[in-house]
Amino acid sequence: MAKNLVIVESPTKAKTIKKFLGKNFDVIASEGHVRDLPRSNMGIDKDNDFEPHYITIRGKGELLAELRKAAGKADYVYLATDPDREGEAISYHLSVALKLDEKKSYKRITFNEITKTAVKQSMKNAREIDMDLVDAQQARRVVDRLVGYEISPLLWEKLGKKSLSAGRVQSVALKMISDREKEIDAFIPEEYWTICADLNVPGQKKTVAFQLKSEIKSAKEAKELKAKLEKSGFVVTDIKSSTRTKKAPVPFTTSTLQQTAAGRINFSTSKTMRVAQQLYEGVDIKGEGTVGLITYLRTDSTRISEEADRSVREYIRDAFGSEYEADAEGNDSASKAPAKNIQDAHEAIRPTDVRRTPASIKGMVTAEQYKLYKLIYERFVASRMKPVVYDIYTVTVTAAGETLKASASTVGFAGYLNVYSTEEDKNKENINLHGIEKGDELKCEQVNAKQHFTEPPSHYTESLLVKTMEDNGIGRPSTYAPTISTLLNRRYITKEQKNLYITELGQAVNGIMETAFPEIVNIEFTANMESLLDSIGDGNVQWKVVVRNFYPDLENEIKHASENLEKIKIADEVSDEVCENCGANMVIKYGAYGKFLACPNFPECRNTKPYFEKIGVKCPECGNDIVKRNTRKGRPFYGCINYPECDFMSWNKLVAERCPDCGGYMVIKGKKIVCSNPECGFTKEFEEAGE
């Protein structure tokens, strides 16, 4: 019987697939790329039509030898890397490194989910390597290498820091963050007022706020209207009943998963992708062994396969009743596209088996895996359920010639809410206006006039930045998380309470990029480049044509910037820590292991000390600062800066406020501030919990 070799990227994936294929198949992981452009030099021959020079990645020699040996013994080799451009490129480089063209008995297979059915079916649909997709990845790699290796040295020279880098996508993302901060700084708030009358409504214990519909711009006008309403009666002049339907959300794409996970389970984009990768590659499930729990995680499609659609609809009918199943065309236009075979990489992120509920696997996965799987599962099931129908009841009252309104919304038909609800759904206020009749005069308890100011644009969060990048066609599903991670790691931006802020270093880098390389940081240019890469992947454009057209302008800009840009000095951030040797305020430096404090009088004074992030709370035992620390395994906790003399610690973040009941220190737990004294039991709401 023929001996077969299957090559995948990761050991976890190899373990999962091996179980499905049996003893006649060896499954080995390449652990990602085996060939790449060299790190020590450009690796692109610009004089030879931009021909790339690939080398074996350092440390992969022994693995390649193992793969060559296994390929030599096999009758057939199947390249089963991920179903996207990057995966296609990895398969191509494996074919070259293992000299598989000499063997002639190798094929490319892909599967959107790592299940027995999908893997077996992929064998029947084995194909040749798609060189158009390989060329699209190669074009991206070459263009990005030209940008990075030609602009980065210029940044080193002008800013005097060797740790800097420029990137085609990251530079645009940095400019977007910078532009948003400029908008916020330039924003001039405008005053406006709202007036509400708290009226007694039959059948309601609390008063109901009826809001004045007039636009009020000044305190004087608000004061006059408030006084006029306080002297008037409030008569019901109109009652309207209506309905509103809200469609179910579509299944997740990469970007919508990242956005939703950030808001609902407080995952960063990189954490979402890391955990999703684990769920995709396989988790050990009791009674099943290792199995992939979700489909491929890098996708911009909301389509699902016909088989998955049938399965989830059957589940909905069994679990909730046929009245909850969505119409045949589903809730999204993408679902109307004809389903492709198992080779199709463009399917939404969904569970591989809808009968594998979150509750059924809860004890077999980590807490992080459970949270993300539950989110993906519930969104997928909801996508094939009927819309929610809201009954809207609006009451209009007239007072002193002015119109005030209040609306109540109740769920007439729950639809997908049985499975999945948004924050908007959760926060609906439950009031009942049905006891009112036209002509009733409602008693007013009080009239409230509140001053407001228009708000500036919000700072980017990771999820908002991903959404904006996607909306503008910048980057692709696989690039969002790495782009943000690079900006954070380079310290071009910082993250505080989820918001992203540009640093002084980031402003300096962005300033150079905007001045010297306006096309590189132009959103339309970057989006057009993504479209060109897609065209290469579709076989409509040759990859070297794209590079030939791109490079001359970059070359001219590099030369002009090198000759004309002045050097910029970036000052170190000054801390409030005083050097005990010379008395100077120490500055924050960055080393291989993160931040540390150093004396600014180096080399005369060489004093350094660890940097700890203060949280603005004093130690309840000794009065020194509480700082954020990490265990050896990386888990954060909060402890006294005076350790080891003071060994106070808490796994939960402390707040400065003391307990009003017992005087003990309080901590944040979920959405509550709670007293640390278990015998006290004091709690209160905390709006920024979990940040």
Side-chain angles (χ1 to χ4, degrees):
M1 188 170 283
K3 188 70 175 176
N4 305 288
L5 173 65
V6 179
I7 303 176
V8 297
E9 287 113 321
S10 79
T12 302
K13 196 174 176 181
K15 178 185 173 185
T16 308
I17 292 171
K18 171 65 177 171
K19 186 191 68 168
F20 301 144
L21 294 177
K23 62 182 180 180
N24 293 317
F25 287 82
D26 286 332
V27 186
I28 302 178
S30 70
E31 299 180 20
H33 277 281
V34 293
R35 297 169 80 233
D36 197 5
L37 299 172
R39 288 191 174 188
S40 57
N41 57 67
M42 175 78 73
I44 297 167
D45 190 346
K46 292 181 286 187
D47 297 326
N48 186 25
D49 202 18
F50 303 98
E51 192 64 28
H53 172 59
Y54 295 104
I55 63 170
T56 299
I57 294 174
R58 182 176 295 179
K60 289 291 182 82
E62 189 175 327
L63 175 61
L64 267 177
E66 180 189 347
L67 288 168
R68 288 192 187 105
K69 185 177 179 181
K73 292 179 179 179
D75 296 305
Y76 294 94
V77 177
Y78 295 95
L79 302 172
T81 50
D82 284 347
D84 55 16
R85 283 184 201 159
E86 202 70 27
E88 207 72 23
I90 292 173
S91 283
Y92 166 73
H93 287 295
L94 279 167
S95 73
V96 174
L98 303 180
K99 299 181 179 179
L100 295 182
D101 280 328
E102 298 174 8
K103 192 178 182 68
K104 298 296 183 185
S105 54
Y106 76 95
K107 291 289 184 181
R108 170 82 166 113
I109 60 172
T110 58
F111 28 81
N112 190 53
E113 57 189 72
I114 306 178
T115 59
K116 186 173 184 177
T117 301
V119 173
K120 291 273 190 181
Q121 186 66 28
S122 71
M123 294 292 180
K124 299 176 183 178
N125 292 299
R127 58 171 173 79
E128 303 297 319
I129 290 173
D130 187 333
M131 288 307 300
D132 290 331
L133 293 179
V134 174
D135 286 344
Q137 188 273 346
Q138 187 163 240
R140 176 187 288 279
R141 194 78 181 92
V142 169
V143 168
D144 288 352
R145 175 59 66 104
L146 290 168
V147 170
Y149 273 57
E150 300 240 327
I151 297 180
S152 295
L154 184 70
L155 296 179
W156 303 344
E157 176 194 347
K158 301 303 180 184
L159 294 174
K161 289 180 179 287
K162 284 273 188 175
S163 60
L164 304 181
S165 73
R168 185 177 57 86
V169 176
Q170 79 178 48
S171 296
V172 179
L174 181 64
K175 183 180 186 301
M176 289 166 60
I177 296 170
S178 175
D179 288 347
R180 177 58 60 91
E181 297 231 6
K182 289 174 183 174
E183 281 184 69
I184 294 170
D185 291 342
F187 181 80
I188 300 173
E190 293 183 6
E191 179 185 14
Y192 70 98
W193 289 72
T194 58
I195 293 181
C196 287
D198 293 338
L199 306 182
N200 288 322
V201 172
Q204 288 286 96
K205 293 181 179 178
K206 295 196 303 182
T207 57
V208 175
F210 282 70
Q211 185 168 330
L212 185 70
K213 292 297 151 184
S214 302
E215 190 176 89
I216 310 165
K217 293 291 188 181
S218 69
K220 180 176 180 290
E221 185 184 359
K223 185 178 180 181
E224 290 172 353
L225 278 168
K226 180 176 183 293
K228 187 168 69 169
L229 290 171
E230 285 174 335
K231 297 174 184 176
S232 175
F234 292 79
V235 178
V236 178
T237 53
D238 190 35
I239 298 174
K240 284 184 179 177
S241 295
S242 61
T243 60
R244 178 174 69 89
T245 60
K246 185 179 178 185
K247 284 187 175 181
V250 296
F252 282 127
T253 62
T254 301
S255 68
T256 56
L257 177 61
Q258 290 173 346
Q259 294 164 46
T260 308
R264 295 185 66 150
I265 56 176
N266 203 25
F267 279 17
S268 65
T269 52
S270 57
K271 184 175 183 178
T272 297
M273 297 305 284
R274 173 174 56 79
V275 178
Q277 187 77 30
Q278 296 165 1
L279 294 173
Y280 166 69
E281 290 185 349
V283 176
D284 193 17
I285 300 298
K286 188 176 181 181
E288 296 185 75
T290 305
V291 62
L293 298 184
I294 65 168
T295 53
Y296 193 53
L297 59 149
R298 295 177 182 89
T299 177
D300 53 11
S301 172
T302 59
R303 189 191 66 78
I304 66 171
S305 68
E306 287 182 350
E307 182 183 351
D309 186 64
R310 283 195 301 270
S311 179
V312 68
R313 288 175 180 278
E314 181 183 327
Y315 173 78
I316 291 167
R317 290 193 296 271
D318 291 346
F320 304 101
S322 58
E323 67 272 24
Y324 284 92
E325 180 190 353
D327 296 335
E329 68 271 15
N331 287 311
D332 59 293
S333 57
S335 67
K336 298 177 187 176
K340 301 178 184 178
N341 62 31
I342 199 69
Q343 302 290 83
D344 181 16
H346 299 289
E347 194 178 344
I349 303 171
R350 59 168 175 81
T352 55
D353 184 352
V354 74
R355 299 283 173 179
R356 194 182 290 117
T357 64
S360 70
I361 64 164
K362 188 169 185 180
M364 308 170 204
V365 295
T366 67
E368 291 177 346
Q369 290 169 346
Y370 172 75
K371 287 178 182 178
L372 194 64
Y373 181 74
K374 186 172 184 287
L375 195 62
I376 293 167
Y377 181 95
E378 292 175 349
R379 175 87 164 221
F380 171 61
V381 174
S383 74
R384 264 45 192 178
M385 295 181 75
K386 283 274 181 69
V388 183
V389 179
Y390 291 102
D391 294 325
I392 313 296
Y393 201 72
T394 304
V395 176
T396 302
V397 299
T398 301
E402 301 290 341
T403 300
L404 300 91
K405 290 187 178 183
S407 291
S409 173
T410 56
V411 176
F413 179 73
Y416 71 84
L417 286 183
N418 282 285
V419 176
Y420 183 90
S421 59
T422 64
E423 289 304 309
E424 178 192 351
D425 298 318
K426 292 176 183 176
N427 294 332
K428 286 189 178 296
E429 190 176 359
N430 187 22
I431 60 174
N432 188 349
L433 299 176
H434 284 79
I436 301 175
E437 293 184 4
K438 194 172 180 180
D440 285 352
E441 184 168 346
L442 304 181
K443 182 184 176 184
C444 178
E445 291 293 334
Q446 62 179 347
V447 177
N448 300 304
K450 290 185 179 179
Q451 182 187 39
H452 308 272
F453 291 92
T454 52
E455 295 287 335
S458 59
H459 284 279
Y460 278 117
T461 60
E462 287 192 30
S463 60
L464 181 57
L465 183 61
V466 166
K467 182 180 186 304
T468 310
M469 289 173 68
E470 183 186 41
D471 290 345
N472 285 281
I474 298 168
R476 284 298 180 262
S478 60
T479 63
Y480 301 137
T483 296
I484 294 171
S485 294
T486 299
L487 293 174
L488 287 166
N489 293 337
R490 295 290 181 190
R491 293 179 284 278
Y492 294 170
I493 62 174
T494 185
K495 184 164 71 169
E496 298 175 17
Q497 302 293 333
K498 286 192 178 181
N499 290 332
L500 300 177
Y501 298 87
I502 194 165
T503 63
E504 186 179 0
L505 177 60
Q507 289 283 23
V509 170
N510 183 63
I512 288 178
M513 294 300 297
E514 283 188 307
T515 301
F517 308 102
E519 273 205 338
I520 296 295
V521 294
N522 181 278
I523 288 177
E524 291 183 5
F525 173 82
T526 307
N528 184 55
M529 178 60 72
E530 295 294 349
S531 296
L532 287 171
L533 294 174
D534 288 341
S535 296
I536 296 169
D538 292 336
N540 298 325
V541 179
Q542 291 186 345
W543 77 268
K544 284 190 176 180
V545 171
V546 173
V547 180
R548 286 184 210 130
N549 292 336
F550 165 78
Y551 185 68
D553 288 339
L554 175 66
E555 187 177 36
N556 290 334
E557 288 174 346
I558 291 281
K559 183 178 179 182
H560 183 269
S562 183
E563 294 172 353
N564 296 286
L565 280 179
E566 296 182 359
K567 292 185 177 181
I568 301 170
K569 173 70 175 173
I570 304 292
D572 291 311
E573 183 182 348
V574 180
S575 76
D576 58 2
E577 291 288 328
V578 176
C579 175
E580 54 267 36
N581 293 350
C582 69
N585 277 72
M586 303 188 82
V587 295
I588 299 172
K589 296 278 189 180
Y590 295 87
Y593 301 100
K595 295 180 181 180
F596 67 95
L597 293 172
C599 184
N601 292 327
F602 180 89
E604 289 76 16
C605 180
R606 295 175 175 267
N607 185 27
T608 63
K609 62 173 72 173
Y611 171 82
F612 294 111
E613 180 186 337
K614 296 178 181 178
I615 65 170
V617 179
K618 297 298 182 183
C619 176
E621 293 187 4
C622 73
N624 278 295
D625 288 306
I626 291 291
V627 296
K628 186 177 181 180
R629 294 178 178 271
N630 290 291
T631 66
R632 289 183 180 179
K633 292 186 177 181
R635 183 181 176 189
F637 68 96
Y638 301 89
C640 183
I641 198 170
N642 201 28
Y643 178 85
E645 285 75 15
C646 177
D647 60 0
F648 173 83
M649 67 84 65
S650 169
W651 291 114
N652 297 102
K653 187 175 182 179
L654 286 74
V655 296
E657 182 184 357
R658 288 286 184 146
C659 175
D661 290 351
C662 73
Y665 71 90
M666 297 199 295
V667 298
I668 299 167
K669 285 188 178 180
K671 295 184 178 180
K672 302 279 187 181
I673 293 178
V674 305
C675 180
S676 61
N677 180 3
E679 296 178 1
C680 174
F682 175 81
T683 66
K684 73 173 191 175
E685 295 294 326
F686 177 56
E687 294 180 357
E688 296 179 353
E691 296 289 343

